[in-house]
Amino acid sequence: MDLKSLSIKTKLISITFLVVAVCATCITFLTLYQHQLLYKENLSRNLDALSSNLSDELFPHLALNEPELINIATTIMKLDRYQHIKYGVVVTSEYKLLAQYLNPKFTVSEADLAQTDWRKMINGDIFPARSELLQSKAIGGDEYKIGTLVLVADVDEQLALDNTAMINQLFPLVLLITVILFVLSHWMQSGFINPLLKLSELVSRVSETKNYQLKYRVDGEDEVARLGNNINNMLQTIDKQDIENKRHTTKLLKQQQSLKHLANYDQLTGLPNRKFFAELLKQSLLQAKRSNLTIAVMFLDLDDFKTVNDSLGHHAGDALLKLVCERIQSHLREQDILARLGGDEFTVILADLPSEVTAVAIAERILKSFEKYFYIQEWEIQSGLSIGIAFNEEHKLDAQALISNADVAMYRAKESGRGQYAVFEETMQNVQHRHMLIANELAKAIQHNEFKLFYQPKVSPTHGVVGLEALIRWESQFDGWISPAEFIPVAEHCGKVHDITRWVIKQGFADLEYIKQTLGLNLVTSFNVSAIDITKKAFIDYIQQAIKTNSNDTSLIEFEVTETSYIENFEASSDFFKAMHELGCSIALDDFGTGYSSLSYLTQVKANTLKIDQQFISKIFTSEDDRLIVESIISLAKKLNLKICAEGVETKQQYDFIAAHECELIQGYYFSKPVPLDELKVTVDMINHSHRFCECEQSVVHFAKKR
Ligand code: C2E
Ligand code: CA
Ligand code: CA
């Protein structure tokens, strides 16, 4: 049995029991021992008295010359009244046995007595047995000793009897005391231990139930009561701490949940974000594969969100995004999942489609709904949307590939005009692959010096060639000549366009000096810059540096910025324009009419020239609308005191029309394609010689009117 496993109560009861038992036993033995000593002393005294009496009686019978043996024997026989006397003998002064008494109760024989050396016995040279008490008495006293009376009494039997009697008397008493002591100690211990037990029970209950509001009922002021008090205080502290901890845990859990929400959902619209969308799509793809159901991803992109953001502010932009996602959602089915990838890009998982037609129908419904206005504050906003749809045919694609296909289709939709949808086809993928290839190769192109600058003349109907446009050319190692119309948008998309622009500026500004000094041509040369370029603050320094390096005449430098670029980055564009004006350079708004045609901007923007996009020029004789656009752009520019440059003029007919409308600059294949620097002089001279330019503007007007 393991002592440690016993309860304190059991231990204390056991110890008490042991102590009481040991004490009782000790007392009993001590009493018995004391009794034995007293008994022996008493016996010895009795024996002494008896032997004195008997020896006195024996004396007359022994004092005679001839001892009266009969009388002696008779006298000694009186000993039979004493049960505890084993035997008694009378020996002469010569220690010869004269008479004897033998108590038949004992086993002493006459022979034993006959063999005993009484001299030694009386003189104390031989000891009697332990259980015997010997008393010898000189008959006639020590002076007239005529013999000796020896009495031997038995101690054991009488003592045993006495002890038994005594134990019989003592036992109930000892038992009573033991029981009283035991009960008393048990009662006292219970008094001490029960509170402890209650405390222990309380602690166990607290640890089981975690209810720290349980209390110990304190009774008294002893140590246990104090312990109880302390435990109560401790429980109170733990309870407070527990409440605090629970509050903290709840807070942490809430934080965890909101972090999870933050990680998975878009804060503005509450829609799943890009990461979570990818996870959801993975699950949907697995499910679709298992149940062999058609699944599609729809990629939606707002056409002119940036305009809203820039012109009406971020709050309006945010409000528009919320309304947009509500409108899209309202045309989706219950099982479709709408997510916001970021910015103005949304995606939808169209799961469980009965057929591909359903996806197209949903896209059409959404696009139709976007014809209606969005109302934000006091504004009526019409926002275009482009949608790309990609199906996971034969369940071959993973989530990423499907999103990427829908993205490619969306770009195709955007290319074909605003508010369109396109379904992904493999051929689009080829375009995507080529774009990726171009993006990779562009990085090497600058290092390998694969770019060249060509110049296209800008012709004044009255003064001949007055300007140039620098246009980049790329003779790539992997696919020969690649058009800037193809690689510039890719470079813009993959963030490489700024390096290209810097190369153009570096090379072009050096060429300007050559054109002026060596070729002797005093022509305003324009350089195309992208939206990204004008947002870079360091670009202005770069231009300044290049001007300094080449000692350029800044009045001969112009920058062409597309209408879209400047509207999308209105503030940055204004800063850029201002800086360029301060340097003495001029600004042309390129591709005017193709973008937002936000005429209200025109009054704010500090441009020098408007370039009418070639798509209008090419159709002035086929489309009444385009002709009207051209005419109104020209008249507007005149009102705003802006110069006009018509680009893409290919025919004499187009030239005549444009010239008749008093366009200051005309650019196009009608005069010349862009040419390399070494052909520029010849080209310019040829244009100037082959066309007779009239110095008189009136005659041009007249000529136009005649037509
Ligand atoms: P863009 O700025 O509108 O340039 C005019 C484009 O029209 C040039 O095409 C030019 O060769 C072409 N063009 C000129 N006259 C005619 C014509 O009569 N008929 C036809 N069909 N086309 C004509 P290019 O050189 O292929 O450039 C395409 C576009 O690439 C440019 O359009 C411009 O946006 C961009 N680009 C060209 N060079 C640069 C550059 O150095 N930097 C940047 N950022 N973009 C450039
Ligand atoms: Ca241009
Ligand atoms: Ca242009």
Side-chain angles (χ1 to χ4, degrees), residues 469 528 560 562 590-592 611-614 647 667:
E469 178 175 4
N528 292 285
E560 291 190 10
T562 63
D590 206 355
D591 303 346
F592 195 81
K611 289 190 80 177
I612 306 174
D613 194 69
Q614 50 181 282
E647 59 180 4
Q667 182 187 352

Side-chain angles (χ1 to χ4, degrees), residues 610-612 617 644-649 658 663 665-668:
L610 278 193
K611 289 190 80 177
I612 306 174
I617 308 294
I644 305 277
C645 175
E647 59 180 4
V649 173
I658 296 297
C663 235
L665 296 163
I666 295 171
Q667 182 187 352

Side-chain angles (χ1 to χ4, degrees), residues 528-575:
N528 292 285
V529 289
S530 293
I532 297 153
D533 300 321
I534 48 183
T535 58
K536 309 242 182 218
K537 289 258 182 298
F539 184 47
I540 296 169
D541 298 337
Y542 184 82
I543 292 170
Q544 261 174 320
Q545 194 54 49
I547 291 170
K548 217 190 239 174
T549 311
N550 298 292
S551 314
N552 293 124
D553 175 355
T554 54
S555 69
L556 295 182
I557 298 174
E558 186 177 56
F559 293 97
E560 291 190 10
V561 180
T562 63
E563 184 197 6
T564 322
S565 300
Y566 97 81
I567 288 183
E568 283 183 352
N569 307 281
F570 191 69
E571 272 172 35
S573 306
S574 300
D575 292 347

Side-chain angles (χ1 to χ4, degrees), residues 683-697:
T683 309
V684 170
D685 288 347
M686 218 169 67
I687 295 170
N688 284 339
H689 284 125
S690 58
H691 296 266
R692 277 192 294 124
F693 295 99
C694 179
E695 294 291 325
C696 165
E697 285 178 25

Side-chain angles (χ1 to χ4, degrees), residues 233-250:
N233 291 342
M234 196 170 76
L235 284 176
Q236 204 177 350
T237 313
I238 293 175
D239 189 38
K240 269 190 204 156
Q241 196 62 44
D242 187 50
I243 292 169
E244 182 62 24
N245 282 352
K246 277 185 187 141
R247 223 163 42 86
H248 196 62
T249 312
T250 322

